[in-house]
Amino acid sequence: MAFTASVMPKLHIHDLRHTFASWLLQSGVADKTTQDLMGHKTDSMTRRYSHNSLKSLKKAIDQMEADTL
């Protein structure tokens, strides 16, 4: 048990919901689809759960540059 506690971070089921929502967002899944999959009634709750990674933010900037330059 001490080994597991020292190697594994504390993980809660709630953390998995954040990961799921973030992966959907980063994969380009539509906001409404993500909201439905998460079971949220409001889009603001879905936005609270989903987060962009630095990789996905860079990809967005690269796309914008490709489209405008």
Side-chain angles (χ1 to χ4, degrees):
M1 183 75 174
F3 174 76
T4 303
S6 67
V7 174
M8 297 295 295
K10 289 185 180 184
L11 184 66
H12 305 281
I13 193 73
H14 191 77
D15 299 327
L16 298 176
R17 289 182 57 80
H18 280 273
T19 301
F20 180 63
S22 297
W23 284 357
L24 289 169
L25 171 73
Q26 294 166 24
S27 296
V29 173
D31 293 346
K32 177 65 174 142
T33 303
T34 300
Q35 180 180 339
D36 291 345
L37 288 168
M38 296 294 295
H40 293 151
K41 292 181 181 179
T42 64
D43 57 344
S44 62
M45 182 59 72
T46 304
R47 284 193 307 270
R48 183 176 298 162
Y49 271 86
S50 56
H51 311 285
N52 274 307
S53 67
L54 289 176
K55 182 179 178 180
S56 64
L57 293 172
K58 182 178 182 324
K59 182 178 176 182
I61 294 297
D62 292 344
Q63 181 63 49
M64 180 203 58
E65 289 176 343
D67 291 345
T68 58
L69 297 180

